[in-house]
Amino acid sequence: MATLYQKMKLLKGLNKGDIAYVGPFFVKVVVTRRCNLRCIGCRFHSPVSIMQPSEDDVVTDISYDLFRQLCDELKAMGTNSIILTGEGEPLLHPHIFDIISTAKERRFDVSLVSNGTLLDEIKIKSLIRSRLDTLRVSLWAGSPEEYEKNYPGSDPDNFKKIIEGLTLLAHLKAEQNSDIPSVDLHHPVNRNNFKNIDAMVDLAYKTGCNGLTSSPLKCWRGTPASLSLSKDEEKILFRSLIKMKKRLDSLSLRHNIDLTILRYKIGDNVWQKLPCYIGWLHARIKANGTVVPCSRYHLPMGNLNEERFKEMWNGSAFRKFRRESITLRGLASFGEHCDCNFCGYVYDNMRVHRLFKWISPFVSVKN
């Protein structure tokens, strides 16, 4: 959650044009590129659509020393939240619990995104001990049959492992009288699973999760269009989501159903409908130290092995990105460098735009 101070500094920067007067509100850190699954819609490990790594992506795991240095810089810049993710499975990083503990020692709110297959007793106790705030477990299936469709070539017993792991996590939290990590079961919706989304409510409730979230799976470069829903299928999904919302509320499970429906209704070509403010709010750190504004923009802002993050944050590359991303002409110029046809940060951009649209007519943006 952004503080009033951060919001005021954000608006000051937007008013000036391209300089950020406060650090990113949240940072995503790709801790590893290794994975033990082949999710069908994954950009990096899907058996039907793989984004080939560039020559700069040869590093598998982020350096612990590099991460610690980054934490020190971000704390000094006022960043509150770190999300540990991966172009793979974060729990495969050999020092993942040291990474979590290091971030918590510096008082960050820390989230971790996992596929849930590695949640055994040892790792769960380590997650609790490291004081992880939120665990988000991504599950593309509500049944073993759906699991086989969405994870082709993976061990079908993984579905059972995930359910058992989540159940054990809830048990060990209760045993240790711990509220953390808070657990969200996350469901990427696609054509292989949208007809059975009610089953996700059952799974979230019976495994002791705190919430159930969802997101549309939309096609990016190289992803088969057959995974996306048609307009008629979206209407069927909306009806199911509205019913789900009532049930989730009755079970006191948090959710993002209103935002999911809104995201579908906004549709594609978001860049033609809404300015992009992500260069003011967020940075993504890749395992090799490369810094980009978000997961969809591919031109690097710099590398942590060569310069400090603070220098990059208001360096020429980030400032150029901010100037261009706030205008339709600038967004159109990104072309092959950005997969922003279906932006994953639209909610963040909408929140900022509600404030900035009132003063933007008086701001002169230089391109």
Side-chain angles (χ1 to χ4, degrees):
M1 182 70 70
T3 64
L4 178 60
Y5 173 81
Q6 286 177 307
K7 292 175 182 178
M8 291 176 63
K9 290 294 186 180
L10 169 65
L11 289 176
K12 179 182 178 181
L14 286 165
N15 186 51
K16 293 292 184 180
D18 59 9
I19 297 176
Y21 291 91
V22 67
F25 291 12
F26 66 108
V27 170
K28 288 186 179 179
V29 181
V30 177
V31 296
T32 187
R33 297 186 62 250
R34 291 183 288 158
C35 198
N36 60 336
L37 289 184
R38 298 293 181 266
C39 309
I40 197 167
C42 176
R43 288 181 294 158
F44 307 101
H45 301 282
S46 168
V48 297
S49 166
I50 296 178
M51 177 181 285
Q52 295 298 325
S54 70
E55 293 179 0
D56 296 328
D57 286 336
V58 293
V59 176
T60 301
D61 301 317
I62 195 169
S63 157
Y64 171 66
D65 290 337
L66 192 67
F67 178 80
R68 184 171 53 189
Q69 171 190 307
L70 174 66
C71 284
D72 290 338
E73 286 195 71
L74 291 175
K75 179 51 63 175
M77 295 171 67
T79 299
N80 297 327
S81 176
I82 291 179
I83 301 170
L84 303 175
T85 183
E87 294 173 1
E89 169 52 47
L91 290 178
L92 288 172
H93 193 291
H95 303 294
I96 188 60
F97 302 112
D98 293 327
I99 284 174
I100 298 170
S101 297
T102 294
K104 289 305 301 176
E105 285 168 4
R106 288 149 179 80
R107 300 186 179 180
F108 287 103
D109 182 275
V110 183
S111 303
L112 185 143
V113 182
S114 171
N115 62 37
T117 58
L118 302 177
L119 291 175
D120 58 23
E121 184 172 355
I122 293 175
K123 287 184 175 63
I124 290 171
K125 288 182 176 179
S126 296
L127 288 174
I128 297 172
R129 189 164 51 247
S130 65
R131 296 175 289 129
L132 178 70
D133 294 287
T134 304
L135 175 67
R136 184 185 185 190
V137 174
S138 180
L139 181 58
W140 298 55
S143 68
E145 293 75 25
E146 281 185 357
Y147 194 89
E148 290 192 46
K149 291 181 181 179
N150 285 285
Y151 301 84
S154 297
D155 186 348
D157 286 343
N158 281 336
F159 183 79
K160 181 180 178 183
K161 284 182 183 178
I162 296 168
I163 304 308
E164 290 176 345
L166 288 169
T167 304
L168 179 60
L169 173 54
H171 172 75
L172 291 175
K173 282 170 57 180
E175 186 177 81
Q176 298 186 30
N177 196 28
S178 175
D179 293 329
I180 55 174
S182 180
V183 182
D184 285 334
L185 187 61
H186 182 69
H187 188 229
V189 181
N190 62 58
R191 186 166 284 167
N192 288 339
N193 62 29
F194 82 100
K195 294 181 180 179
N196 191 35
I197 59 171
D198 288 344
M200 300 304 296
V201 181
D202 296 327
L203 289 179
Y205 182 69
K206 80 175 186 179
T207 57
C209 292
N210 303 98
L212 174 63
T213 60
S214 57
S215 62
L217 176 66
K218 285 287 184 173
C219 297
W220 43 69
R221 295 171 189 170
T223 305
S226 60
L227 292 176
S228 293
L229 304 187
S230 67
K231 292 300 180 183
D232 288 338
E233 289 170 334
E234 287 180 7
K235 292 176 182 178
I236 295 172
L237 174 66
F238 293 167
R239 291 194 289 269
S240 298
L241 288 173
I242 291 169
K243 292 179 182 178
M244 271 180 60
K245 180 180 177 180
K246 294 179 180 178
R247 188 169 173 219
L248 288 165
D249 288 339
S250 71
L251 295 172
S252 298
L253 290 172
R254 62 174 174 251
H255 59 81
N256 68 341
I257 287 179
D258 289 340
L259 292 179
T260 301
I261 293 175
L262 175 63
R263 189 64 194 87
Y264 272 109
K265 289 183 176 180
I266 290 173
D268 296 338
N269 299 319
V270 176
W271 63 274
Q272 295 180 344
K273 306 166 187 176
L274 188 70
C276 175
Y277 301 98
I278 202 64
W280 305 87
L281 306 174
H282 169 267
R284 181 179 176 89
I285 317 298
K286 302 181 76 172
N288 64 357
T290 296
V291 178
V292 292
C294 71
S295 59
R296 298 301 181 99
Y297 188 82
H298 309 307
L299 289 182
M301 303 290 102
N303 191 289
L304 293 176
N305 291 295
E306 300 168 0
E307 58 183 316
R308 296 287 185 175
F309 182 82
K310 185 177 182 179
E311 297 169 357
M312 259 182 272
W313 186 235
N314 275 316
S316 59
F318 250 117
R319 292 177 65 180
K320 182 175 185 290
F321 176 84
R322 292 180 188 126
R323 290 194 301 271
E324 292 179 342
S325 61
I326 208 170
T327 69
L328 179 60
R329 184 177 67 180
L331 287 169
S333 72
F334 287 173
E336 63 181 13
H337 302 305
C338 189
D339 292 333
C340 59
N341 185 48
F342 194 82
C343 174
Y345 298 95
V346 66
Y347 310 130
D348 302 290
N349 287 329
M350 288 178 68
R351 283 192 285 266
V352 176
H353 193 60
R354 288 192 191 106
L355 296 174
F356 185 62
K357 67 181 179 180
W358 301 108
I359 63 174
S360 60
F362 308 101
V363 178
S364 176
V365 180
K366 297 178 181 180
N367 282 311

